[in-house]
Short mmCIF file of all heavy atoms in Angstrom, two decimals:
data_model
loop_
_atom_site.label_atom_id
_atom_site.label_comp_id
_atom_site.label_asym_id
_atom_site.label_seq_id
_atom_site.Cartn_x
_atom_site.Cartn_y
_atom_site.Cartn_z
N MET A 1 85.02 89.31 92.89
CA MET A 1 84.97 88.14 91.96
C MET A 1 85.50 88.57 90.62
O MET A 1 85.07 89.60 90.04
CB MET A 1 83.56 87.61 91.89
CG MET A 1 83.43 86.45 90.89
SD MET A 1 83.86 84.86 91.60
CE MET A 1 83.61 83.84 90.24
N GLU A 2 86.48 87.82 90.05
CA GLU A 2 87.09 88.23 88.78
C GLU A 2 86.15 87.98 87.58
O GLU A 2 85.33 87.06 87.59
CB GLU A 2 88.37 87.53 88.55
CG GLU A 2 88.21 86.04 88.23
CD GLU A 2 88.28 85.09 89.49
OE1 GLU A 2 88.10 85.62 90.63
OE2 GLU A 2 88.50 83.92 89.29
N ASN A 3 86.25 88.93 86.61
CA ASN A 3 85.52 88.79 85.42
C ASN A 3 86.50 88.20 84.33
O ASN A 3 87.43 88.83 83.89
CB ASN A 3 85.06 90.16 84.91
CG ASN A 3 84.25 90.12 83.65
OD1 ASN A 3 84.23 89.05 83.01
ND2 ASN A 3 83.63 91.15 83.25
N LYS A 4 86.25 86.91 84.01
CA LYS A 4 87.15 86.21 83.08
C LYS A 4 87.17 86.79 81.67
O LYS A 4 87.91 86.36 80.87
CB LYS A 4 86.78 84.69 83.06
CG LYS A 4 87.09 83.95 84.39
CD LYS A 4 88.51 83.51 84.36
CE LYS A 4 89.03 82.92 85.72
NZ LYS A 4 88.34 81.67 86.17
N ASN A 5 86.25 87.69 81.44
CA ASN A 5 86.22 88.31 80.12
C ASN A 5 87.18 89.54 80.02
O ASN A 5 87.40 90.07 78.94
CB ASN A 5 84.76 88.77 79.79
CG ASN A 5 83.83 87.54 79.60
OD1 ASN A 5 84.15 86.63 78.87
ND2 ASN A 5 82.73 87.62 80.28
N ILE A 6 87.63 89.98 81.18
CA ILE A 6 88.49 91.18 81.20
C ILE A 6 89.82 90.84 81.91
O ILE A 6 89.92 90.85 83.14
CB ILE A 6 87.85 92.41 81.91
CG1 ILE A 6 86.47 92.62 81.24
CG2 ILE A 6 88.76 93.59 81.73
CD1 ILE A 6 85.65 93.75 81.98
N GLU A 7 90.89 90.48 81.08
CA GLU A 7 92.15 90.17 81.71
C GLU A 7 92.88 91.55 81.94
O GLU A 7 92.69 92.48 81.11
CB GLU A 7 93.00 89.45 80.67
CG GLU A 7 92.69 87.97 80.57
CD GLU A 7 93.71 87.23 79.70
OE1 GLU A 7 94.84 87.07 80.15
OE2 GLU A 7 93.34 86.85 78.59
N CYS A 8 93.56 91.65 83.03
CA CYS A 8 94.25 92.92 83.37
C CYS A 8 95.39 92.63 84.28
O CYS A 8 95.32 91.78 85.20
CB CYS A 8 93.31 93.93 84.04
SG CYS A 8 94.07 95.45 84.49
N SER A 9 96.54 93.32 84.10
CA SER A 9 97.73 93.07 84.94
C SER A 9 98.02 94.34 85.76
O SER A 9 99.05 94.38 86.43
CB SER A 9 98.93 92.73 84.02
OG SER A 9 99.15 93.88 83.11
N VAL A 10 97.12 95.33 85.80
CA VAL A 10 97.37 96.49 86.62
C VAL A 10 96.88 96.30 88.08
O VAL A 10 95.79 96.64 88.47
CB VAL A 10 96.57 97.72 85.97
CG1 VAL A 10 96.95 98.98 86.69
CG2 VAL A 10 96.92 97.81 84.52
N LYS A 11 97.85 95.75 88.85
CA LYS A 11 97.50 95.40 90.25
C LYS A 11 97.30 96.62 91.16
O LYS A 11 96.74 96.51 92.26
CB LYS A 11 98.53 94.48 90.83
CG LYS A 11 98.52 93.18 90.18
CD LYS A 11 99.24 92.08 91.01
CE LYS A 11 98.94 90.69 90.46
NZ LYS A 11 99.85 89.65 90.86
N GLN A 12 97.76 97.76 90.67
CA GLN A 12 97.62 99.04 91.45
C GLN A 12 96.19 99.58 91.42
O GLN A 12 95.81 100.50 92.11
CB GLN A 12 98.59 100.09 90.95
CG GLN A 12 100.04 99.78 91.16
CD GLN A 12 100.63 98.80 90.15
OE1 GLN A 12 99.90 98.41 89.18
NE2 GLN A 12 101.93 98.50 90.29
N CYS A 13 95.41 98.96 90.51
CA CYS A 13 94.04 99.48 90.37
C CYS A 13 93.10 98.92 91.46
O CYS A 13 93.17 97.72 91.85
CB CYS A 13 93.49 99.05 88.99
SG CYS A 13 91.78 99.57 88.70
N GLU A 14 92.23 99.71 91.93
CA GLU A 14 91.17 99.30 93.02
C GLU A 14 90.35 98.15 92.53
O GLU A 14 89.95 97.31 93.32
CB GLU A 14 90.24 100.51 93.18
CG GLU A 14 89.13 100.29 94.09
CD GLU A 14 89.46 100.44 95.54
OE1 GLU A 14 90.46 101.10 95.84
OE2 GLU A 14 88.75 99.89 96.37
N TYR A 15 90.10 97.98 91.23
CA TYR A 15 89.22 96.95 90.74
C TYR A 15 89.93 95.69 90.28
O TYR A 15 89.35 94.74 89.83
CB TYR A 15 88.46 97.48 89.57
CG TYR A 15 87.62 98.66 89.94
CD1 TYR A 15 87.85 99.97 89.29
CD2 TYR A 15 86.68 98.64 91.01
CE1 TYR A 15 87.13 101.06 89.68
CE2 TYR A 15 85.93 99.75 91.31
CZ TYR A 15 86.18 101.01 90.67
OH TYR A 15 85.42 102.11 91.05
N HIS A 16 91.30 95.60 90.46
CA HIS A 16 92.00 94.41 90.15
C HIS A 16 91.70 93.27 91.09
O HIS A 16 91.58 93.48 92.30
CB HIS A 16 93.51 94.66 90.06
CG HIS A 16 94.32 93.57 89.37
ND1 HIS A 16 94.76 92.51 90.09
CD2 HIS A 16 94.70 93.43 88.13
CE1 HIS A 16 95.46 91.68 89.17
NE2 HIS A 16 95.36 92.25 88.03
N ALA A 17 91.61 92.03 90.57
CA ALA A 17 91.26 90.87 91.38
C ALA A 17 92.44 90.46 92.34
O ALA A 17 92.20 89.69 93.25
CB ALA A 17 90.85 89.71 90.52
N GLN A 18 93.64 90.95 92.10
CA GLN A 18 94.85 90.70 92.86
C GLN A 18 95.37 89.27 92.81
O GLN A 18 96.47 89.09 92.33
CB GLN A 18 94.61 91.08 94.37
CG GLN A 18 94.36 92.56 94.56
CD GLN A 18 95.51 93.47 94.08
OE1 GLN A 18 96.64 93.17 94.19
NE2 GLN A 18 95.05 94.59 93.44
N GLN A 19 94.61 88.27 93.24
CA GLN A 19 95.17 86.90 93.23
C GLN A 19 95.33 86.36 91.81
O GLN A 19 96.20 85.56 91.58
CB GLN A 19 94.17 85.96 93.97
CG GLN A 19 94.50 85.72 95.50
CD GLN A 19 94.33 86.93 96.33
OE1 GLN A 19 95.21 87.79 96.21
NE2 GLN A 19 93.35 87.02 97.14
N VAL A 20 94.49 86.86 90.91
CA VAL A 20 94.60 86.51 89.47
C VAL A 20 94.55 87.74 88.66
O VAL A 20 94.06 88.74 89.11
CB VAL A 20 93.42 85.54 89.12
CG1 VAL A 20 93.63 84.15 89.68
CG2 VAL A 20 92.13 86.08 89.64
N ASN A 21 95.06 87.63 87.43
CA ASN A 21 95.18 88.80 86.57
C ASN A 21 93.88 89.04 85.79
O ASN A 21 93.83 88.93 84.56
CB ASN A 21 96.32 88.71 85.63
CG ASN A 21 97.60 89.25 86.27
OD1 ASN A 21 97.58 90.06 87.24
ND2 ASN A 21 98.77 88.88 85.74
N TYR A 22 92.84 89.45 86.56
CA TYR A 22 91.55 89.80 85.91
C TYR A 22 90.98 91.06 86.63
O TYR A 22 91.39 91.34 87.77
CB TYR A 22 90.50 88.65 86.03
CG TYR A 22 90.86 87.53 85.18
CD1 TYR A 22 91.45 86.34 85.74
CD2 TYR A 22 90.54 87.47 83.79
CE1 TYR A 22 91.76 85.22 84.94
CE2 TYR A 22 90.86 86.34 83.03
CZ TYR A 22 91.44 85.26 83.61
OH TYR A 22 91.73 84.19 82.76
N CYS A 23 90.11 91.73 85.92
CA CYS A 23 89.38 92.82 86.45
C CYS A 23 88.11 92.25 87.25
O CYS A 23 87.63 91.21 86.87
CB CYS A 23 88.91 93.78 85.29
SG CYS A 23 87.99 95.22 85.85
N THR A 24 87.65 93.01 88.22
CA THR A 24 86.49 92.57 88.93
C THR A 24 85.18 93.28 88.44
O THR A 24 84.06 92.94 88.90
CB THR A 24 86.63 92.78 90.49
OG1 THR A 24 86.85 94.16 90.65
CG2 THR A 24 87.72 92.01 91.04
N LEU A 25 85.37 94.29 87.59
CA LEU A 25 84.16 94.99 87.13
C LEU A 25 83.45 94.17 86.05
O LEU A 25 83.94 93.33 85.41
CB LEU A 25 84.62 96.28 86.48
CG LEU A 25 85.23 97.40 87.43
CD1 LEU A 25 85.59 98.57 86.64
CD2 LEU A 25 84.23 97.76 88.49
N GLY A 26 82.13 94.46 85.89
CA GLY A 26 81.30 93.83 84.91
C GLY A 26 81.59 94.29 83.49
O GLY A 26 81.48 93.58 82.52
N LYS A 27 82.07 95.51 83.45
CA LYS A 27 82.42 96.16 82.17
C LYS A 27 83.45 97.23 82.46
O LYS A 27 83.45 97.80 83.53
CB LYS A 27 81.24 96.68 81.39
CG LYS A 27 80.56 97.89 82.05
CD LYS A 27 79.44 98.47 81.17
CE LYS A 27 78.88 99.65 81.78
NZ LYS A 27 77.87 100.35 80.97
N ILE A 28 84.21 97.62 81.48
CA ILE A 28 85.16 98.67 81.59
C ILE A 28 85.05 99.55 80.33
O ILE A 28 84.46 99.25 79.37
CB ILE A 28 86.70 98.22 81.69
CG1 ILE A 28 86.99 97.41 80.44
CG2 ILE A 28 86.87 97.47 82.94
CD1 ILE A 28 88.50 97.23 80.21
N LYS A 29 85.63 100.80 80.51
CA LYS A 29 85.67 101.74 79.35
C LYS A 29 87.16 101.92 78.99
O LYS A 29 88.03 102.21 79.81
CB LYS A 29 85.05 103.09 79.82
CG LYS A 29 84.94 104.09 78.71
CD LYS A 29 84.23 105.30 79.27
CE LYS A 29 83.97 106.35 78.16
NZ LYS A 29 83.27 107.48 78.71
N VAL A 30 87.39 101.78 77.67
CA VAL A 30 88.73 101.96 77.16
C VAL A 30 88.76 103.29 76.32
O VAL A 30 87.87 103.54 75.57
CB VAL A 30 89.11 100.77 76.28
CG1 VAL A 30 90.55 100.98 75.65
CG2 VAL A 30 89.22 99.49 77.12
N GLY A 31 89.87 104.04 76.47
CA GLY A 31 90.06 105.20 75.68
C GLY A 31 91.44 105.39 75.28
O GLY A 31 92.22 104.40 75.27
N THR A 32 91.84 106.52 74.82
CA THR A 32 93.22 106.79 74.34
C THR A 32 93.66 108.19 74.72
O THR A 32 92.82 109.09 74.92
CB THR A 32 93.35 106.63 72.82
OG1 THR A 32 94.71 106.84 72.46
CG2 THR A 32 92.46 107.65 72.07
N HIS A 33 94.94 108.36 74.92
CA HIS A 33 95.52 109.62 75.23
C HIS A 33 96.26 110.21 73.98
O HIS A 33 96.89 111.23 74.06
CB HIS A 33 96.55 109.55 76.40
CG HIS A 33 97.58 108.47 76.20
ND1 HIS A 33 97.39 107.06 76.45
CD2 HIS A 33 98.77 108.52 75.55
CE1 HIS A 33 98.49 106.43 76.03
NE2 HIS A 33 99.37 107.29 75.51
N GLU A 34 96.07 109.50 72.86
CA GLU A 34 96.72 109.91 71.57
C GLU A 34 95.78 110.50 70.63
O GLU A 34 94.58 110.12 70.65
CB GLU A 34 97.43 108.71 70.95
CG GLU A 34 98.39 107.95 71.83
CD GLU A 34 99.79 108.50 71.75
OE1 GLU A 34 100.22 109.13 70.74
OE2 GLU A 34 100.53 108.27 72.68
N ALA A 35 96.25 111.39 69.78
CA ALA A 35 95.34 111.97 68.79
C ALA A 35 95.10 110.96 67.66
O ALA A 35 94.05 110.90 67.09
CB ALA A 35 95.99 113.21 68.14
N ASN A 36 96.18 110.10 67.38
CA ASN A 36 96.06 109.11 66.36
C ASN A 36 96.62 107.78 66.82
O ASN A 36 97.82 107.45 66.51
CB ASN A 36 96.76 109.61 65.09
CG ASN A 36 96.59 108.68 63.92
OD1 ASN A 36 95.65 107.91 63.87
ND2 ASN A 36 97.50 108.74 62.99
N PRO A 37 95.96 106.99 67.62
CA PRO A 37 96.53 105.75 68.23
C PRO A 37 96.98 104.76 67.15
O PRO A 37 96.28 104.53 66.15
CB PRO A 37 95.36 105.22 69.01
CG PRO A 37 94.15 106.01 68.72
CD PRO A 37 94.54 107.25 67.95
N THR A 38 98.15 104.17 67.36
CA THR A 38 98.76 103.26 66.40
C THR A 38 99.18 101.91 67.03
O THR A 38 99.45 101.00 66.32
CB THR A 38 99.93 103.87 65.72
OG1 THR A 38 100.89 104.26 66.74
CG2 THR A 38 99.63 105.06 64.82
N MET A 39 99.15 101.80 68.34
CA MET A 39 99.58 100.57 69.00
C MET A 39 98.92 100.43 70.34
O MET A 39 98.39 101.38 70.87
CB MET A 39 101.12 100.47 69.10
CG MET A 39 101.73 101.64 69.74
SD MET A 39 103.53 101.55 69.60
CE MET A 39 104.01 103.09 70.40
N PRO A 40 98.95 99.17 70.94
CA PRO A 40 98.24 98.99 72.19
C PRO A 40 98.66 99.96 73.26
O PRO A 40 97.74 100.34 74.01
CB PRO A 40 98.72 97.56 72.60
CG PRO A 40 99.00 96.87 71.29
CD PRO A 40 99.56 97.96 70.42
N GLU A 41 99.89 100.37 73.32
CA GLU A 41 100.35 101.30 74.32
C GLU A 41 99.66 102.66 74.28
O GLU A 41 99.75 103.47 75.16
CB GLU A 41 101.87 101.55 74.23
CG GLU A 41 102.72 100.29 74.68
CD GLU A 41 102.73 99.19 73.65
OE1 GLU A 41 102.23 99.35 72.51
OE2 GLU A 41 103.32 98.16 73.94
N CYS A 42 98.95 102.90 73.11
CA CYS A 42 98.27 104.17 72.98
C CYS A 42 96.90 104.17 73.68
O CYS A 42 96.28 105.26 73.75
CB CYS A 42 98.04 104.49 71.49
SG CYS A 42 99.56 104.63 70.54
N THR A 43 96.48 103.06 74.17
CA THR A 43 95.17 102.97 74.75
C THR A 43 95.20 102.85 76.26
O THR A 43 96.24 102.37 76.84
CB THR A 43 94.41 101.76 74.20
OG1 THR A 43 95.04 100.51 74.61
CG2 THR A 43 94.33 101.77 72.71
N ASP A 44 94.18 103.23 76.94
CA ASP A 44 94.11 103.27 78.37
C ASP A 44 92.80 102.71 78.90
O ASP A 44 91.75 102.94 78.27
CB ASP A 44 94.28 104.74 78.87
CG ASP A 44 95.41 105.44 78.29
OD1 ASP A 44 96.54 105.13 78.63
OD2 ASP A 44 95.19 106.38 77.44
N CYS A 45 92.81 102.19 80.08
CA CYS A 45 91.59 101.78 80.77
C CYS A 45 91.08 103.04 81.47
O CYS A 45 91.74 103.52 82.46
CB CYS A 45 91.80 100.66 81.75
SG CYS A 45 90.30 100.24 82.62
N MET A 46 89.97 103.53 81.05
CA MET A 46 89.36 104.78 81.64
C MET A 46 88.63 104.42 82.93
O MET A 46 88.20 105.37 83.64
CB MET A 46 88.47 105.43 80.65
CG MET A 46 89.12 105.77 79.30
SD MET A 46 90.58 106.75 79.43
CE MET A 46 89.86 108.33 79.66
N SER A 47 88.47 103.17 83.26
CA SER A 47 87.77 102.76 84.45
C SER A 47 88.79 102.62 85.64
O SER A 47 88.37 102.24 86.78
CB SER A 47 87.06 101.41 84.27
OG SER A 47 86.11 101.57 83.20
N PHE A 48 90.01 102.78 85.35
CA PHE A 48 91.07 102.66 86.39
C PHE A 48 90.73 103.62 87.60
O PHE A 48 90.41 104.70 87.41
CB PHE A 48 92.50 103.03 85.79
CG PHE A 48 93.53 103.11 86.86
CD1 PHE A 48 94.28 102.00 87.27
CD2 PHE A 48 93.82 104.31 87.42
CE1 PHE A 48 95.28 102.07 88.20
CE2 PHE A 48 94.89 104.44 88.45
CZ PHE A 48 95.59 103.29 88.76
N LYS A 49 90.97 103.03 88.77
CA LYS A 49 90.87 103.87 89.99
C LYS A 49 92.04 103.47 90.89
O LYS A 49 92.35 102.34 91.03
CB LYS A 49 89.55 103.60 90.67
CG LYS A 49 89.28 104.48 91.86
CD LYS A 49 87.98 104.13 92.56
CE LYS A 49 87.91 104.84 93.88
NZ LYS A 49 86.82 104.24 94.68
N ARG A 50 92.74 104.49 91.38
CA ARG A 50 93.87 104.18 92.28
C ARG A 50 93.44 103.34 93.50
O ARG A 50 92.47 103.73 94.17
CB ARG A 50 94.46 105.52 92.70
CG ARG A 50 95.79 105.36 93.43
CD ARG A 50 96.32 106.74 93.85
NE ARG A 50 97.49 106.60 94.68
CZ ARG A 50 98.14 107.61 95.27
NH1 ARG A 50 97.71 108.87 94.97
NH2 ARG A 50 99.18 107.40 96.00
N GLY A 51 94.21 102.34 93.72
CA GLY A 51 93.93 101.47 94.94
C GLY A 51 94.50 102.07 96.25
O GLY A 51 95.06 103.15 96.19
N GLN A 52 94.30 101.41 97.37
CA GLN A 52 94.77 101.97 98.64
C GLN A 52 96.23 101.89 98.67
O GLN A 52 96.83 100.92 98.45
CB GLN A 52 94.31 101.23 99.85
CG GLN A 52 92.97 100.54 99.92
CD GLN A 52 91.81 101.36 99.46
OE1 GLN A 52 91.76 102.58 99.47
NE2 GLN A 52 90.71 100.67 99.07
S1 SF4 B 101 89.34 98.93 85.94
FE1 SF4 B 101 90.78 98.74 84.22
S2 SF4 B 101 92.79 98.95 85.17
FE2 SF4 B 101 91.37 98.50 86.72
S3 SF4 B 101 91.51 96.34 87.02
FE3 SF4 B 101 89.76 96.71 85.61
S4 SF4 B 101 90.61 96.61 83.56
FE4 SF4 B 101 92.34 96.81 85.00
#
């Protein structure tokens, strides 16, 4: 069941709702791979899990 509070377009993730662009988790963790993040692309969903 999709969580309407978490929009996501990463369909390759195990937790993506697939039919609609939402996450199915109740909450997610966001992090960064940059030392000094300056734009959205600098952030990552740390709850991502590779789908089948
Ligand atoms: S865990 Fe993160 S990447 Fe995966 S569907 Fe949810 S928001 Fe998207």
Side-chain angles (χ1 to χ4, degrees):
M1 176 81 182
E2 72 270 17
N3 181 348
K4 290 275 172 65
N5 294 309
I6 307 176
E7 285 187 71
C8 180
S9 60
V10 187
K11 292 198 166 162
Q12 294 82 359
C13 179
E14 174 82 23
Y15 303 118
H16 193 273
Q18 296 302 321
Q19 267 63 290
V20 285
N21 272 341
Y22 290 100
C23 182
T24 58
L25 294 178
K27 66 172 185 178
I28 60 163
K29 184 175 183 179
V30 176
T32 183
H33 53 273
E34 304 272 335
N36 185 23
T38 55
M39 52 189 178
E41 289 79 3
C42 300
T43 65
D44 309 290
C45 178
M46 306 303 282
S47 301
F48 172 86
K49 187 183 168 195
R50 188 180 172 182
Q52 328 311 337

